[in-house]
Amino acid sequence: MSKVDKYTERGIAFLEGDGVAKDYEQAFYWLSVAYELGSSKAETILCDMRAKSLGAPFDGDVPETASLDDGPDACGVTTGTQTVAVSNVRADESRPANPNRCIACGEEALVPSEAFAGAKHCSPSRGGCGTNVMIPIVEDGLARGVALQPYREPIPGRRENMYSSLGSLIHMVKYDTRVDDPLKAEMVREIVRRIGECGVIEQLVDKRVIRNLVVVPAPSSKRRKLQPVSLLAELVSEGRFGYEEALKKRSRTESKSRPKGTELAPNDVSCSESVRGKTVLLLDDTYGEGATLRACIRALKDKGAQEIYFLSLCKNIYGGVKGSSADDDDID
């Protein structure tokens, strides 16, 4: 079997879950490699995956059309990204919204990631911090999803891992009782400012629907005086989009307390009628196994939400949750 056929078949295996766990991001990666080597079969599959937002990246560095000679709508999707200044969180005029700016360090140093298909890497050779950002999240029912950074990152040359910059802020805001609520709120505001500077929402949400977007926070199981996800959603929406606290979680059982691999009970997440016919941007602080996200998608769809986009600050890739005794992480 030739290399191009091998990569094509590997991509199809991940796409269909044939002998391996279904993984759209891996499928897109291997099919992209096969496409670059000249596989027309991989090209056709990639076009279909992009049209369905299955594992597709956000930076346009892989094929977006049925043929390189065709126009931008050959796959039935709009290509390219739109960068718009954020009005509610003022960035310095010298630092306009820029999709190549790192959400972690703020440097304009992003290049395609070698670790995660569709993600970006903040290149130290360009003055960046070295972290991976804009990591795709794929779940049935999502138009598109992304996490801004891993929750933890490996320590080079060691088996341990450590909090990423955003992961550290999330852990502090949610669990560190030494930090008062006004300071925690300022941390959330700083994250929102970076989201604006990096043009994150403009990269994530199709420009056809961005004007009519409604921001919805993921529901929390734990009652806190300061609800960081709700504050995050309010600040992101302020002056730009609608805001609806439409989702409620009935159970107070936190995700870290559920057995690994289990789903939420039916109707554990409820949704109001306020999302009917609307395009939703669902926000959360962390994405782990995806149980809460899937329950939110079901609830939103049941109440008539149209397209659903998902933005998580972090994605759990390198561990540090489920059964950990080192910290009190609450990753859904």
Side-chain angles (χ1 to χ4, degrees):
M1 181 183 293
S2 69
K3 183 180 291 187
V4 65
D5 290 337
K6 180 179 179 180
Y7 291 160
T8 301
E9 293 306 312
R10 185 177 297 176
I12 293 172
F14 278 113
L15 179 63
E16 298 179 346
D18 184 8
V20 295
K22 185 180 291 188
D23 188 325
Y24 295 132
E25 295 157 29
Q26 284 289 325
F28 203 96
Y29 175 81
W30 290 110
L31 288 166
S32 295
V33 174
Y35 163 79
E36 291 171 359
L37 293 174
S39 172
S40 58
K41 182 177 181 180
E43 181 182 12
T44 301
I45 299 171
L46 284 169
C47 182
D48 187 53
M49 290 182 71
R50 178 170 287 281
K52 296 176 181 177
S53 294
L54 297 180
F58 303 93
D59 53 16
D61 289 332
V62 291
E64 297 189 55
T65 57
S67 169
L68 295 178
D69 297 324
D70 290 337
D73 296 322
C75 287
V77 295
T78 303
T79 62
T81 57
Q82 179 187 31
T83 302
V84 180
V86 175
S87 58
N88 63 302
V89 182
R90 287 191 174 275
D92 295 338
E93 290 186 4
S94 60
R95 295 168 65 85
N98 188 330
N100 293 316
R101 196 179 301 285
C102 175
I103 191 74
C105 70
E107 293 297 321
E108 189 178 337
L110 296 185
V111 297
S113 170
E114 295 181 359
F116 307 108
K120 298 179 182 179
H121 179 71
C122 187
S123 173
S125 66
R126 298 190 181 185
C129 61
T131 191
N132 286 286
V133 299
M134 297 294 288
I135 301 167
I137 291 174
V138 179
E139 292 284 358
D140 288 341
L142 283 184
R144 193 171 289 165
V146 67
L148 297 183
Q149 203 179 355
Y151 187 68
R152 290 176 180 263
E153 297 175 309
I155 302 174
R158 299 176 61 181
R159 298 182 63 181
E160 295 91 348
N161 55 47
M162 61 184 178
Y163 288 115
S164 65
S165 55
L166 282 179
S168 180
L169 285 177
I170 291 168
H171 186 81
M172 191 178 298
V173 168
K174 295 178 76 171
Y175 302 112
D176 196 333
T177 57
R178 299 169 297 176
V179 182
D180 61 27
D181 282 352
L183 181 53
K184 290 180 177 181
E186 284 304 310
M187 294 178 183
V188 176
R189 286 184 180 276
E190 171 62 20
I191 293 171
V192 174
R193 184 178 71 83
R194 281 285 174 84
I195 288 173
E197 286 185 346
C198 300
V200 168
I201 295 174
E202 288 73 29
Q203 295 181 73
L204 173 63
V205 179
D206 193 310
K207 63 183 179 182
R208 294 180 297 105
V209 297
I210 197 168
R211 291 179 180 273
N212 301 314
L213 202 63
V214 173
V215 182
V216 175
S220 174
S221 3
K222 191 168 184 177
R223 305 297 181 254
R224 297 180 175 88
K225 186 176 180 181
L226 174 71
Q227 291 286 1
V229 176
S230 293
L231 177 59
L232 176 74
E234 288 177 17
L235 292 174
V236 166
S237 66
E238 189 176 35
R240 297 192 69 202
F241 312 117
Y243 173 81
E244 295 286 350
E245 199 147 351
L247 296 168
K248 294 189 181 300
K249 199 171 185 180
R250 295 175 177 174
S251 169
R252 294 199 176 186
T253 302
E254 298 182 25
S255 294
K256 63 185 175 61
S257 303
R258 292 197 319 271
K260 186 174 182 178
T262 59
E263 297 291 320
L264 272 69
N267 301 318
D268 197 357
V269 173
S270 62
C271 183
S272 70
E273 296 280 350
S274 60
V275 300
R276 186 169 299 280
K278 297 179 180 178
T279 299
V280 170
L281 173 61
L282 177 64
L283 290 186
D284 207 350
D285 51 10
T286 44
Y287 171 90
E289 296 179 347
T292 296
L293 174 57
R294 289 188 288 273
C296 290
I297 292 171
R298 289 194 297 271
L300 288 165
K301 289 288 189 182
D302 285 347
K303 292 301 182 181
Q306 296 296 310
E307 293 182 77
I308 302 172
Y309 294 84
F310 178 60
L311 174 61
S312 176
L313 298 184
C314 290
K315 180 176 181 179
N316 179 35
I317 297 171
Y318 298 108
V321 293
K322 294 296 180 186
S324 170
S325 59
D327 48 55
D328 190 27
D329 292 333
D330 178 22
I331 290 191
D332 293 341

